[in-house]
C-alpha cells in the first residue's frame, strides 16, 4: 500500500514552511501566485529585494550583471545528419555543456540570456537506444543550476534525473557535475533537456534529445529528420518576472481585489527554432520528412501547421502511434509529437505556422504577434510565402489531440490497478499571509525545493520511514504496485503535467470532478505518454507501475506554476533507494550550498 507523506521536521529554510490553507475546504478560484526566488539572509538582503522591486529589477537566476561580451550563436542543426548510424550496437556518447550568460536577441530585442555552449537553442544530443550518455556540465552562472533529461526513465540512476531539491542540489557556480546514465533500451523517439532550477530554462537553457532505434515502429518509413522547436519568449529575465508574479501586486498590479489575481506574465513573442523571424526549412521535393515537434516554452500551447500540407501524426512523447492525418497539431508545454510531411505539392515556399494559443492567457500583451512564421521551401529558390492557412476553426481551449487519435502502435493494455491516490490541484490564499499571498497546492501542500538536502538524499539515508518538510508531498510505495493517480483541477486553466521516471497510461479525462464508478475510463490500449494536459475545471486519471527506485517529480510544466508550488513526488521502492550508487560529488555539492542559492 502507498503512504501519503507531508510531514514536518525542523530546520527548513522554506519561505512558507508550516503555512496552512485559509480554509480546510478547497474552493475553485482564479489563478494566483507568490514565492520568493532566493534565500537571502540578513537586513541587507531584504533591502536589496525592496529596492529591486521598486526599480523593476529582477533579483534572480542569472540576473546579476556581468561584463559579458559573448553573443549567442543561433543553433542551425535542425536537419538531422543522415550519416548518423542507427544501430543496436551501443556505445558511450560524451558531451560537454558550459552553462553561461550571453547576450542575444531571438526576437530582435537584445537581452541577457542563459545558454548552453553559447548556443540557442542548445546543442542537439543524438543517441541510440541503449547507449551510455555522459554529459559534463560546467556551471559558469552566478547561481546554481541543474539539467533534467525530460522523458528519460533513469532506471537505477534516479540521482541523474537533474531535479533541483529532489534528486540533487544545484551545481554551484564555478563547478561541474557529470551526468552519466544509460538510455533505456526500450526508449526511442523525441525528447529534450532543460534546466530544472526555478524558471531558468525560460531564459534559454534547453535543447533537443533524439533517441534512434531500429526497433522503433516507424523506423525506415520516412526519408529525412527535422527538428521543430516551439517556444514562447520574454524580453526580460524570468527571475524578475517571477519575483513580480509571486508578489502581492502581481504582474499587472491588481493581484488582490482585481480581476486578474495571479495572472501569469504573457510572453513578448514566440519562436520557431530560436527565431521569431527568419527560420527556414530548405527541403527536397517528393520526400517524406519526419518533423519532430517539441514545445520548449514556459506558458504557451502552440497550434502547429504547414500551409497546404497534411500532417500525419506518428509519435507522441516517445511512443509510436497509429498514423492519423490532421491539418493542425496542438502541442502543450513539454510535449512532443512527430508528424510526417510529404513534399509533394507545387514547388515553392510555404508558411510554417506556430500559432500561440493566447486565448488561454489571463493577461494580454498588445504587442504580441501570436502567429509565429517560418518558411519551408522545396523545388525552388526561397521566397516570402503567400500561401494561406487552413480554414478549420481553431479550438478556444488549450487541450491535447483527442485521446481517440492517440493509439499506440505497440498495443499494451494496463494491468489492473492495485493502489490509487486522489489529488486536488488548486491555487489558494494562505492564513499566514493574512490572505494576501496565494500559492499553488497539491491537496494541502505547496512544494518548495530543499536546495541543501534533496529528498533523494534524505530517503537514501533514512530509508522507508523518512519524514519530510510540510512543503513536500510524497507518495511512498515500497512494493511494485499498479498505481492510479486521479487528478482533479480546481483551476480554470488547463495544465501540462509531467511525471519523471515513468511512462503512464491515460485512462480518461473529463469536465468537473472525477466520480468513481461514473467517470468513464478506457483500459484497451489507451494513450501512453510522459506529459499530459489536465483540462480546466476537469479531471484526468493516469496509471503507472511503481517499479523504478527513486524520488520522481510530478509537476505542472508551466514554469510559473511549478515555482508557485505545483509539484508532488512519488517514492518508488525506498528500500532499494538505499542501494543506489549515488556519486559522492552529489553530496559534496550539497554541502557547499549556502544562503542566496537557487530556492526554486
Amino acid at each position: 500500500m502507498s503512504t501519503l507523506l507531508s510531514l514536518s521536521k525542523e530546520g527548513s529554510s522554506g519561505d512558507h514552511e508550516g503555512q496552512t490553507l485559509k480554509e480546510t475546504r478547497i474552493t475553485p478560484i482564479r489563478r494566483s501566485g507568490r514565492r520568493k526566488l532566493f534565500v537571502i539572509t540578513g537586513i541587507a538582503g531584504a533591502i536589496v529585494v525592496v529596492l529591486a522591486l521598486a526599480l523593476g529589477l529582477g533579483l534572480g537566476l542569472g540576473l546579476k550583471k556581468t561584463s559579458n561580451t559573448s553573443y549567442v550563436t543561433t543553433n542551425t542543426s535542425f536537419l538531422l545528419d543522415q550519416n548518423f548510424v542507427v544501430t543496436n550496437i551501443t556505445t558511450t556518447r560524451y558531451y560537454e555543456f558550459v552553462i553561461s550568460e550571453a547576450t542575444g536577441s531571438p526576437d530582435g530585442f537584445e537581452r541577457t540570456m542563459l545558454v548552453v555552449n553559447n548556443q540557442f537553442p542548445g546543442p542537439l544530443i543524438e543517441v541510440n537506444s541503449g547507449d551510455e550518455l555522459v554529459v559534463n556540465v560546467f556551471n559558469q552562472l552566478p547561481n546554481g543550476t541543474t539539467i533534467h533529461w525530460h522523458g528519460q526513465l533513469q532506471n537505477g540512476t534516479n540521482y541523474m534525473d537533474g531535479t533541483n531539491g529532489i534528486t540533487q542540489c544545484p551545481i554551484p557556480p564555478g563547478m561541474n557535475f557529470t551526468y552519466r546514465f544509460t538510455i533505456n533500451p526500450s526508449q526511442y523517439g523525441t525528447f529534450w533537456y532543460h534546466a530544472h532550477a526555478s524558471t531558468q530554462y525560460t531564459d534559454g537553457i534547453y535543447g533537443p534529445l533524439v533517441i534512434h532505434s531500429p526497433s522503433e515502429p516507424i523506423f525506415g518509413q520516412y526519408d529525412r529528420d527535422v527538428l521543430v522547436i516551439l517556444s514562447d519568449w520574454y524580453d526580460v529575465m524570468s527571475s524578475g518576472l517571477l519575483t513580480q508574479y509571486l508578489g502581492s501586486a502581481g504582474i499587472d498590479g491588481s493581484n488582490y481585489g482585481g480581476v486578474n489575481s495571479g495572472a501569469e506574465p504573457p510572453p513578448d513573442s514566440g519562436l520557431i527554432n530560436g527565431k521569431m523571424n527568419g527560420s527556414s526549412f530548405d527541403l527536397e521535393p517528393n520526400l517524406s520528412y519526419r518533423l519532430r515537434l517539441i514545445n520548449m516554452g514556459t506558458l504557451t500551447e502552440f497550434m502547429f501547421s504547414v500551409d497546404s500540407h497534411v500532417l500525419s501524426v506518428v509519435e507522441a512523447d516517445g511512443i509510436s502511434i497509429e498514423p492519423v492525418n490532421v491539418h493542425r497539431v496542438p502541442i502543450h508545454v513539454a510535449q512532443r509529437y512527430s508528424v510526417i510531411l510529404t513534399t509533394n505539392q507545387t514547388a515553392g515556399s510555404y508558411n510554417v505556422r506556430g500559432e500561440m494559443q493566447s486565448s488561454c492567457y489571463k493577461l494580454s500583451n498588445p504587442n504580441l504577434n501570436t502567429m509565429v512564421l517560418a518558411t519551408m521551401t522545396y523545388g525552388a529558390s526561397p521566397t516570402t510565402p503567400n500561401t494561406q492557412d487552413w480554414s478549420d476553426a481553431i479550438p478556444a481551449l488549450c487541450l491535447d489531440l483527442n485521446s481517440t487519435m492517440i493509439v499506440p502502435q505497440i498495443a499494451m493494455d494496463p494491468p489492473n490497478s492495485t493502489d490509487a491516490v486522489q489529488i486536488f490541484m488548486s491555487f489558494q490564499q494562505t492564513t499566514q499571509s493574512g490572505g494576501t499571498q496565494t500559492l499553488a497546492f497539491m491537496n494541502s501542500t505547496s512544494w518548495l525545493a530543499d536546495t541543501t538536502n534533496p529528498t533523494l538524499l534524505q530517503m537514501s539515508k533514512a530509508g522507508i520511514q523518512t519524514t519530510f518538510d510540510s512543503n513536500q508531498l510524497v507518495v511512498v510505495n515500497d512494493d511494485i504496485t499498479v498505481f492510479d493517480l486521479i487528478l482533479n483541477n480546481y483551476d480554470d486553466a488547463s495544465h501540462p503535467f509531467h511525471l519523471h521516471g515513468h511512462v503512464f497510461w491515460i485512462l480518461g479525462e473529463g469536465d468537473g470532478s472525477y466520480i468513481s464508478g461514473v467517470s468513464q475510463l478506457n483500459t484497451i490500449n489507451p494513450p501512453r505518454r510522459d506529459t499530459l494536459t489536465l483540462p480546466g475545471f476537469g479531471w484526468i486519471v493516469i496509471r503507472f507501475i511503481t517499479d523504478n527506485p527513486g524520488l520522481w517529480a510530478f509537476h505542472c510544466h508551466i514554469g510559473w506554476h511549478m515555482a508557485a508550488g505545483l509539484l508532488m513526488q512519488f517514492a518508488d521502492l525506498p528500500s532499494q533507494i538505499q542501494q543506489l550508487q549515488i556519486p559522492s560529488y552529489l553530496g559534496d555539492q550539497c554541502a557547499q550550498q549556502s544562503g542566496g542559492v537557487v530556492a526554486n
Side-chain angles (χ1 to χ4, degrees):
M1 294 291 292
S2 62
T3 305
L4 192 64
L5 294 181
S6 182
L7 306 176
S8 297
K9 69 173 188 178
E10 297 179 356
S12 170
S13 60
D15 60 348
H16 64 272
E17 182 190 5
Q19 288 189 3
T20 57
L21 293 174
K22 191 174 183 180
E23 298 177 341
T24 56
R25 178 177 61 90
I26 298 176
T27 55
I29 65 170
R30 297 286 173 175
R31 285 164 290 168
S32 218
R34 76 71 229 97
R35 182 70 58 93
K36 286 183 290 188
L37 186 61
F38 276 82
V39 179
I40 302 177
T41 58
I43 297 176
I47 293 173
V48 171
V49 172
V50 172
L51 287 176
L53 291 173
L55 295 173
L57 300 176
L59 234 214
L61 307 169
L63 242 197
K64 298 178 180 178
K65 296 299 181 182
T66 60
S67 56
N68 192 336
T69 58
S70 63
Y71 206 87
V72 173
T73 300
T74 302
N75 202 330
T76 58
S77 58
F78 299 112
L79 186 63
L80 271 61
D81 187 355
Q82 297 179 63
N83 295 319
F84 185 93
V85 178
V86 180
T87 176
N88 287 321
I89 300 173
T90 61
T91 187
T92 297
R93 302 187 187 272
Y94 181 84
Y95 294 81
E96 288 193 352
F97 281 6
V98 176
I99 312 297
S100 64
E101 293 180 340
T103 302
S105 51
D107 63 353
F109 185 91
E110 192 172 274
R111 53 155 289 188
T112 299
M113 300 172 58
L114 309 182
V115 292
V116 180
N117 294 355
N118 215 54
Q119 299 174 39
F120 178 72
L124 166 67
I125 291 180
E126 202 168 2
V127 298
N128 283 311
S129 296
D131 281 352
E132 181 185 46
L133 178 60
V134 181
V135 185
N136 196 356
V137 176
F138 296 85
N139 181 17
Q140 293 186 357
L141 299 176
N143 304 108
T145 192
T146 67
I147 300 295
H148 170 59
W149 316 97
H150 189 107
Q152 297 311 291
L153 296 179
Q154 299 289 0
N155 300 96
T157 52
N158 176 231
Y159 46 85
M160 292 295 165
D161 193 49
T163 312
N164 173 41
I166 298 176
T167 62
Q168 73 175 99
C169 296
I171 307 167
M175 299 189 69
N176 69 296
F177 186 99
T178 300
Y179 294 93
R180 181 188 299 269
F181 57 93
T182 298
I183 304 296
N184 190 286
S186 66
Q187 282 195 286
Y188 38 69
T190 309
F191 301 89
W192 62 303
Y193 61 85
H194 57 85
H196 211 293
S198 189
T199 53
Q200 281 183 338
Y201 93 73
T202 301
D203 298 309
I205 306 177
Y206 53 71
L209 169 58
V210 172
I211 304 176
H212 298 283
S213 174
S215 301
E216 187 176 21
I218 57 177
F219 174 71
Q221 297 181 18
Y222 52 91
D223 299 306
R224 300 284 191 275
D225 248 319
V226 181
L227 288 165
V228 181
I229 297 172
L230 305 166
S231 55
D232 44 26
W233 190 249
Y234 296 83
D235 288 341
V236 295
M237 294 293 287
S238 66
S239 51
L241 289 173
L242 184 59
T243 300
Q244 191 175 354
Y245 169 64
L246 298 177
S248 295
I251 291 296
D252 66 343
S254 64
N255 215 6
Y256 299 97
V259 296
N260 286 317
S261 58
E264 305 89 349
D268 293 299
S269 58
L271 311 176
I272 297 178
N273 286 350
K275 295 180 179 180
M276 185 177 73
N277 298 302
S279 284
S280 62
F281 301 91
D282 298 323
L283 310 182
E284 298 178 32
N286 301 312
L287 293 178
S288 57
Y289 286 84
R290 178 180 183 173
L291 307 184
R292 298 176 181 263
L293 314 179
I294 312 174
N295 186 340
M296 299 188 188
T298 294
L299 174 65
T300 304
E301 176 173 287
F302 283 83
M303 192 69 73
F304 178 83
S305 65
V306 181
D307 291 357
S308 304
H309 290 75
V310 172
L311 306 174
S312 180
V313 186
V314 294
E315 178 212 353
D317 292 356
I319 302 295
S320 297
I321 65 174
E322 296 292 345
V324 57
N325 291 339
V326 299
H327 290 164
R328 297 188 180 92
V329 180
I331 179 169
H332 218 320
V333 175
Q335 292 185 322
R336 294 91 61 211
Y337 286 103
S338 282
V339 300
I340 303 298
L341 176 147
T342 304
T343 53
N344 58 0
Q345 301 299 306
T346 303
S349 295
Y350 296 84
N351 283 313
V352 176
R353 300 176 185 268
E355 182 157 6
M356 307 172 77
Q357 299 300 85
S358 60
S359 61
C360 300
Y361 300 162
K362 212 168 185 188
L363 289 175
S364 63
N365 181 346
N367 297 316
L368 173 65
N369 181 359
T370 60
M371 183 63 78
V372 189
L373 298 176
T375 301
M376 179 186 73
T377 303
Y378 57 85
S381 298
T383 59
T384 300
N386 59 4
T387 55
Q388 299 301 308
D389 193 3
W390 294 100
S391 59
D392 316 38
I394 296 179
L397 300 177
C398 292
L399 299 174
D400 274 341
L401 283 174
N402 189 293
S403 60
T404 61
M405 304 172 73
I406 304 176
V407 180
Q409 283 202 37
I410 299 177
M412 188 181 300
D413 297 344
N416 292 330
S417 174
T418 60
D419 205 349
V421 67
Q422 186 158 212
I423 300 294
F424 298 89
M425 187 225 87
S426 64
F427 290 79
Q428 293 290 317
Q429 294 175 353
T430 61
T431 301
Q432 184 171 329
S433 70
T436 63
Q437 189 177 62
T438 302
L439 307 177
F441 285 88
M442 304 290 274
N443 287 350
S444 59
T445 302
S446 183
W447 175 75
L448 181 67
D450 189 335
T451 61
T452 62
N453 192 20
T455 49
L456 173 63
L457 289 189
Q458 294 178 40
M459 187 164 280
S460 70
K461 297 172 184 176
I464 301 172
Q465 300 303 315
T466 299
T467 58
F468 300 92
D469 286 336
S470 59
N471 46 41
Q472 308 293 323
L473 176 62
V474 185
V475 178
V476 180
N477 279 286
D478 201 40
D479 297 311
I480 296 178
T481 61
V482 181
F483 200 87
D484 281 358
L485 172 61
I486 303 162
L487 186 61
N488 294 278
N489 185 3
Y490 283 172
D491 182 45
D492 61 326
S494 63
H495 294 263
F497 271 84
H498 171 52
L499 177 59
H500 292 215
H502 299 79
V503 174
F504 50 76
W505 290 273
I506 299 178
L507 303 187
E509 60 187 276
D511 296 329
S513 294
Y514 173 80
I515 303 174
S516 179
V518 176
S519 300
Q520 295 294 308
L521 302 180
N522 169 39
T523 57
I524 306 300
N525 193 28
R528 303 195 300 274
R529 310 195 66 151
D530 61 48
T531 307
L532 59 86
T533 300
L534 173 64
F537 289 137
W539 61 269
I540 195 165
V541 177
I542 65 173
R543 182 171 294 175
F544 60 96
I545 301 174
T546 61
D547 59 353
N548 194 2
L551 271 291
W552 305 106
F554 177 68
H555 64 91
C556 180
H557 223 287
I558 291 175
W560 315 113
H561 296 170
M562 191 182 80
L566 212 50
L567 181 150
M568 62 179 292
Q569 299 166 59
F570 290 90
D572 289 7
L573 306 174
S575 59
Q576 296 185 33
I577 289 174
Q578 292 187 303
Q579 301 169 26
L580 296 176
Q581 302 299 308
I582 299 176
S584 59
Y585 58 83
L586 191 151
D588 293 342
Q589 292 192 354
C590 287
Q592 298 190 40
Q593 305 299 320
S594 61
V597 299
V598 179
N600 279 321

